[in-house]
Structure formats: structure tokens, C-alpha cells
Amino acid sequence: MALLVNPWSMKVIKVILLSYIISNLFVQSANSAKTRHLKWKVEYLHWSPDGVESVVMGINGQFPGPTIRARAGDTINIELTNKLPTEGVVIHWHGIRQIGTPWADGTASISQCAINPGETFVYNFKVDKAGTYFYHGHYGMQRSAGLYGSLIVDVAEGEREIIHYNGAFDILLTDWWHKASHEQEVDLSSNPMRWIGEPQFNCSLAAQYSNSTENPCTLRGGEQYAPEILHVLPNKTYRLRIASSTALASLNLAIGNHKMVVVEADGNYVQPFTVDNLDIYSGESYSVLFTTNQDPSKNYWISVNVRGRKPQTPPALALLHYPNTHISTLPTSAPPVAPRWDDYDVSKSFTKKLLGLVGPTNPQPPPTSDRRIILLNTQNFIDGYTRWSINNVSLVLPSTPYLGAIKYGLNGAFDQNPPPDRYNYTYDVTVPAANQNSAYGSGVYNLTFGTTVDVVLQNANAIKANVSEIHPWHLHGHDFWVLGYGEGKFDEETDVAKFNLRDPPLKNTAVVYPFGWTALRFVTDNPGVWAFHCHIEPHLHMGMGVIFAEGVDRVGRIPVEAMACGLTGKMLMNSNVRH
């Protein structure tokens, strides 16, 4: 259940915006407790996210899951019990770096074993940095099933924000299918592959403002899918925190007649800049400021549109409500119109405006790197099955988590041959490959601890000619500097000199555009094993990811519960017990 709390009156209203937005709004306060204890039960629920009853994955009877609110430096202690009848579960705390607690990253087969039905696992970790984050399932396609929620970290007790505002809202964006996530997994793993299609749409305010003739309906009551309403006072400045947990869709958000000032990206301050709308990709988060300086006798649309894929649904709509008009009064103007779904020039212009606000929490990157890994992203076939591959290797995860296997020297747990740092530079990224076959792999990129690593994401043509997709890539355990974007094939001789080393933004998720490249830099200063993958759920399911390991010998004692699975699980557990 999504909740709205008016920061001025503290009145609680149960609301949900259909099709693409699921929101939670909260007052801008937090108590001074340094350890926050939570008890969660993950279970299936009957729910109507868009007016059509489905089975969703919820927490403590809520969909989306409860919002976590904390302050920088706090410890989060979550006792998570799996109440799913027949499947495991884990939860990833997206954007939290898990410094000193890599086993709490919540990635099945990477940092921990899946939590079996009826079992309990305790996530205990520190939130070291203020910012806008969220959490979600990271086992199978449980994010598509609805396992997600917001995680908001305010500045530490006694500190002050460097940005100023009168109130704050929190919006979590998502997409929704009527087809169950298990059926989607089967479709994607079939030969031939059955694509999951675009997210569905049923009943919302959007139905009244769309030219679409599909699924016509009249807005009805229903607290589980009523439109979201943001209550504001005139002439105030509000912070709107936006995070995207979408499984597939890239989105664009706009507030009718109101400009937005972007001030935060992925938990890091950026140099403020003003926009009429903003693109947000799966895995990203932003904070924007907007001022309520419009006619207070009117309400205004908040509109969310699909970008990067041809939309099959009308925009999702919410209301910005001023107090001088009735809450049920619809805006007199049409909802904001987003850029065309395939207008990538608009998208690139926005990303290039993101510049880091250099300071103690956002230093400049090291001037050079010790290692450069160039990852070619391709769509391939393996024995007739459609897969995504990186440098011609399609990721499959082992039954024993990498973290424990590497820590305790269980070399038989995964492929000991590391994947390649480069691809054959003669590869033409603009056309389908002459040989579209690939291979499965579970190898690891072993990174020397305390060094600087560049990763260049190189996009390419997919199986079909003239098709190259947007891919938002997320790195666990780290933030990285986004040094630049480019068209076509990355050229080390010329493009490295164009890197922004002065004020690149620090992020944990970055997009690579069709037929283009994106360059990232990070320092290997966080011992652990970390996933780096496309955040589009079907693409990760089909192999689009790699594994980085760094300083695992420095990792402390791993909880037995995180390791007792797989063919070598018992041996690993006994080794851990004895040590």
C-alpha cells in the first residue's frame, strides 16, 4: 500500500498512481535513533495495482513495501522472514555501498544464498551517505513481481542540507504487467524466446486524456489504485525525490507549468540545473526542487511517459493540488507532453548536463586509471536460445555464492577462467554480427584492491538489423564517475582525451545509448564481490551482467546463513563454523 503524508497537516491518505507510478510521501523528519530495527515478512498478496486484481509480492501486507527512513551513519537491522510458499528471496539495498558488510548486499548467488521458505535472514548494515535510494528483490525476476520500496537517508543528526526547501515528497516509479513474473521467466527462457511485451494499462486518470481506444474505462473508487495527489501550499519550495524500480521502461517526468531544478542524482549532489522534464532510467534516482508559484486556484498534472521504447500505454498521471481549489478539480490544461519516445538527442542533452558538485563527498576522480575494461554488449544465440552477452560471454550464476567461494578458496564453485577485458576491435557495432553465437560463463573479473579501474560500456546492434537498445547499468558496492558518452565505437586514442576529469557526476547507475558508449571510473576500495549489470530485469535474466571481485581476503567473517547452499555449501558452512 502506498501512503501519502501531507507534510503540513500530517493527514494520512492511502493512494496509488496507476500503470507507472507508485509513490510514498513522508514528512521531512527522523528520530535520532542510530539503529533501526525492522521485522519484515515477504509474502504473496492479492492486489490491484492498476485496477486489475493480481498476485503481487509484498512486505508485511503492504505493496509496495514499507519505506525505510534513516539518517546518514545509522545502522539498519532488518529481520527478514520468507513467507513465500515455494521459492527463495533476497533483497538488494540499491545504492547502499555495504562498506564492511558485503554479505548484506542482497544478491542471490553473489553475496549470499537465497533465503529459503520459512527461514529468516538478518540484514544488518550502515547507511553511510545521505541520499535517495530504494530496495528491491534480486532473485529471479522478483522485482517484476512487486518486491520493492523506498529507502530515504537524510543527513546525519546535527548536519544541515546544502539545499533548502519547505517540504518533501518521495515518488517510486515502476511498471506493471498482468502476466506473472514466473510466466515471464519461462517466456524469456524458451526456445524460441517469447518477449514479455510492454507493461499493461487499465484504469487511471490517464484514460480520460489519451487518444488510445484500448482498455477504455471509467475511473472508479479503489484505494489500491486511486491517483496520487501531492498537496502543496503556494509560494513554497518542495523537494521531490524520484527513484525508478522499473523492470523495463525508461521514463520521463514533468509537472505541468512548473520547472524543476535537478540537485541530486543517485545519492550525490550535482550542479543545479533547470529542466521542464527529466528522463529517468531503471535503477536511477534524482532529487528536484520545484516552487509552487502558479495560480493557486488550479490543480496541475504530474505526467510520466515512456521513453526509449514505443509506448503501448497512455501516460501515468498524478495531481499537484493547491489548497485554493477542490481536490477533485481536474486541471484545465492538458498533461505535459514528453519528448518523442525515440528522441535520444533530448535524453543525451539531459545526461550531459549532469555535473558533479565537487566537494568532500564528491571528490574529483583520479587523473588516470590502472586498468581499462571495455565491455561489448551484444544479443546472441546459445543453442538456439536468445541471450545477452558481454564480450561474448552470457552470465550464469553459480549455486554457491561467489563471496564465500572466493573467501574460502572453493575454486570448483565457478568458472576460474576470467572473462576477457576487451573484445575484437574489428567487430562492427553498427550491424548484426556475422556469427551471432555466444557462450555461457560464470567467471569473475578479479580487480586489484586499491586501484583505479575504467569500464567502458560499448553498445552494439542487436540480432535484428538497425536495432540497438538503451541499457542502464548499475554497479553494486560503489559509486562511479561518469567520464563521458560518445557515438559509435569507443576509440582509446581519441576518446580518452575527452574524458571529463574536472566535475563528472558520481552515480551508481548510468545509461549507454543505442550504438554508443559510456565511460566510467571507480576505485576498488570496498572489499567484496559486486555485480555490475543492466538494470532491465529481462536483460539481466538473459545474461547481461558481469562480476567484479576485489580485496576478498580483507572481508571479515561471513555469516554462515549467507553461504550454506550449492554443491559446496555444506563444506563452506563447516569451514566457516570452524574459523
Side-chain angles (χ1 to χ4, degrees), residues 185-306:
E185 289 183 42
V186 173
D187 287 349
L188 294 170
S189 303
S190 296
N191 184 2
M193 185 264 287
R194 299 181 184 181
W195 180 238
I196 64 172
E198 303 303 312
Q200 275 82 20
F201 165 80
N202 188 46
C203 295
S204 81
L205 286 174
Q208 303 180 38
Y209 292 89
S210 170
N211 294 324
S212 173
T213 59
E214 298 181 6
N215 299 319
C217 57
T218 301
L219 183 67
R220 301 165 295 169
E223 63 180 22
Q224 292 182 352
Y225 60 97
E228 183 69 272
I229 301 172
L230 277 62
H231 301 271
V232 296
L233 294 177
N235 301 311
K236 301 292 183 181
T237 297
Y238 290 87
R239 179 180 190 169
L240 179 61
R241 296 179 183 264
I242 312 158
S244 176
S245 66
T246 57
L248 175 64
S250 304
L251 302 175
N252 178 276
L253 182 143
I255 306 174
N257 289 34
H258 293 73
K259 292 187 178 294
M260 299 176 288
V261 179
V262 181
V263 293
E264 178 212 349
D266 292 357
N268 296 285
Y269 293 119
V270 297
Q271 297 179 28
F273 63 99
T274 302
V275 296
D276 294 316
N277 58 76
L278 67 83
D279 284 346
I280 182 168
Y281 301 95
S282 178
E284 289 189 315
S285 65
Y286 290 99
S287 283
V288 300
L289 302 179
F290 68 92
T291 301
T292 50
N293 54 8
Q294 298 300 303
D295 184 348
S297 67
K298 297 180 179 180
N299 291 328
Y300 300 87
W301 291 117
I302 301 172
S303 179
V304 176
N305 289 266
V306 177

Side-chain angles (χ1 to χ4, degrees), residues 475-503:
L475 177 60
H476 294 230
H478 292 277
D479 287 339
F480 49 67
W481 291 275
V482 184
L483 302 184
Y485 302 87
E487 310 292 335
K489 187 183 293 186
F490 176 75
D491 188 329
E492 285 190 276
E493 292 186 2
T494 59
D495 289 327
V496 171
K498 302 174 186 176
F499 285 174
N500 175 14
L501 301 178
R502 178 182 177 184
D503 52 7

